[in-house]
Amino acid sequence: MSCGCKGIRKCYICDPSLPAEETQTEKKFIYSKTLRKCVAYMKNSQTNDFEVVGFRFPGVFLHEDFISESEQQALIENMDKESWKLSQSGRNKQDFGPKVNFKKQKVNYKSFSGLPGYSQNVVDSLHQLDELEDFEPVELCNLEYQSSRGAGIDPHFDDAWLWGERLVILNLLTDTWYTMTLPMKEYDFTKEQLTILTSDEMHLLEQDEILQLLSNSEDKSVDDLTKVAVRIPLKARSLIVLSGKARHKWMHEIRRDDITGRRMCCTFRELSSEFLNGKRNELGATLLKIASSFDGKVVL
């Protein structure tokens, strides 16, 4: 068995002794889609009681049960009919999009034949959402994570030269966590950003099961804010959209310890303004025309 890891990237295939990820010292906040806040327990220094505090986290749209179980099964079957390519950190991937050299800012679309036919129903469903009615994907990247391989993806920002404002990810097969962290060189999180939740907000938390997740959190006593992580619970068949600060200020990752069994996802990307109405708009129009054929094959 082989893997696609290079450089500092590792998985259980190339390094069976890979240690558990070090997360004990970070302060974890859990994202509530109801409040659109990230919340956690913090100890009141005057009373020594634990209080639930939170901060606004704009740029996340979470839609649970976006597709049915039968639709999910059909997607998986179609994805597995195509070839999987070894990728970094134990992942496998399928690309339907142009080949891109981001450092040199070059785009090659000779081998790009469009998004796959089975994705058209998903894109049509995306357009039924107010947040995505004008979303025109030009790339689909399918990823497969296996817990047996120690698969994950390190904290990163997606490119913003070619890819547009919204990242659209459909989570498949198993529940997981999307983890968001700030790059240390731009770290500006302070306690002043936190507010104690009101009784009304606490009631709403009970409705979306976040309080139960908070109670199960292993870092309740961690009050050090020098390393903060936002944890977004992502159920199977859920859709998550990242934009704004969640796209450009906070890095996102999938930790290998959050993978159970087989997890798959479909990531749809749109074009940036430079390729829609800027100096590269002609190239953008060509890419959109190819993508919308929905007759694509995996780009190897």
Side-chain angles (χ1 to χ4, degrees):
M1 187 179 293
S2 58
C3 70
C5 296
K6 299 176 183 178
I8 63 173
R9 310 300 181 209
K10 300 289 184 182
C11 70
Y12 292 153
I13 305 302
C14 59
D15 186 0
S17 61
L18 200 62
E21 292 162 310
E22 293 290 336
T23 65
Q24 291 86 352
T25 59
E26 68 185 9
K27 181 62 181 179
K28 298 179 181 67
F29 288 79
I30 298 178
Y31 179 77
S32 162
K33 64 181 179 65
T34 303
L35 298 181
R36 297 202 170 186
K37 278 187 174 183
C38 303
V39 298
Y41 280 108
M42 292 282 285
K43 183 179 287 187
N44 186 308
S45 59
Q46 296 179 341
T47 65
N48 282 331
D49 292 330
F50 284 101
E51 300 170 325
V52 179
V53 299
F55 64 96
R56 292 285 177 191
F57 198 73
V60 174
F61 171 73
L62 191 58
H63 190 298
E64 295 181 355
D65 298 320
F66 178 69
I67 60 173
S68 67
E69 291 187 5
S70 60
E71 288 172 326
Q72 173 181 251
Q73 184 60 34
L75 269 178
I76 299 302
E77 290 176 358
N78 278 299
M79 291 162 71
D80 280 337
K81 290 177 182 177
E82 301 279 0
S83 300
W84 288 96
K85 181 180 178 180
L86 293 175
S87 187
Q88 298 271 36
S89 303
R91 303 184 305 277
N92 292 319
K93 70 176 181 178
Q94 296 172 341
D95 285 320
F96 297 86
K99 290 187 176 182
V100 187
N101 186 321
F102 292 107
K103 289 185 179 180
K104 296 181 179 180
Q105 294 193 339
K106 292 185 177 181
V107 178
N108 184 334
Y109 59 86
K110 290 182 179 179
S111 57
F112 178 36
S113 54
L115 300 187
Y118 64 77
S119 69
Q120 186 164 10
N121 287 339
V122 178
V123 174
D124 288 343
S125 296
L126 295 177
H127 291 158
Q128 300 305 308
L129 302 173
D130 291 342
E131 293 81 359
L132 296 171
E133 61 181 0
D134 60 346
F135 182 77
E136 298 298 336
V138 75
E139 192 222 33
L140 168 62
C141 178
N142 296 329
L143 291 174
E144 179 195 46
Y145 297 72
Q146 292 270 13
S147 57
S148 60
R149 298 174 65 92
I153 190 165
D154 290 343
H156 67 283
F157 293 109
D158 273 40
D159 165 77
W161 166 68
L162 175 61
W163 307 135
E165 176 63 18
R166 294 165 293 188
L167 301 179
V168 179
I169 303 102
L170 178 59
N171 187 52
L172 301 171
L173 287 182
T174 54
D175 300 349
T176 190
W177 291 84
Y178 230 67
T179 301
M180 315 283 290
T181 54
L182 290 166
M184 294 310 297
K185 64 180 181 180
E186 299 174 13
Y187 195 88
D188 60 356
F189 195 90
T190 64
K191 195 170 185 178
E192 285 67 35
Q193 298 177 41
L194 301 174
T195 58
I196 299 172
L197 265 61
T198 66
S199 57
D200 288 342
E201 288 177 322
M202 290 294 293
H203 179 67
L204 290 172
L205 281 188
E206 295 174 354
Q207 296 179 9
D208 66 7
E209 301 177 343
I210 295 299
L211 273 184
Q212 182 179 350
L213 293 175
L214 281 179
S215 299
N216 294 335
S217 177
E218 74 278 9
D219 70 331
K220 185 176 179 180
S221 61
V222 176
D223 283 346
D224 187 358
L225 297 178
T226 57
K227 189 177 181 182
V228 164
V230 168
R231 303 271 284 165
I232 304 176
L234 196 57
K235 295 182 179 180
R237 300 183 291 108
S238 291
L239 185 80
I240 185 170
V241 181
L242 302 180
S243 62
K245 290 184 178 180
R247 159 90 159 93
H248 302 289
K249 181 175 182 178
W250 292 76
M251 299 183 293
H252 57 275
E253 64 179 296
I254 297 286
R255 295 175 173 174
R256 63 176 178 272
D257 292 342
D258 292 327
I259 299 297
T260 55
R262 188 188 194 198
R263 182 240 175 187
M264 297 168 74
C265 69
C266 302
T267 300
F268 295 90
R269 296 182 174 94
E270 63 184 345
L271 290 172
S272 68
S273 58
E274 181 173 337
F275 288 82
L276 289 175
N277 46 38
K279 62 182 181 180
R280 298 177 187 259
N281 66 317
E282 290 187 6
L283 174 56
T286 298
L287 295 175
L288 283 170
K289 183 178 180 180
I290 296 172
S292 62
S293 71
F294 290 103
D295 193 30
K297 303 297 181 184
V298 171
V299 176
L300 300 175

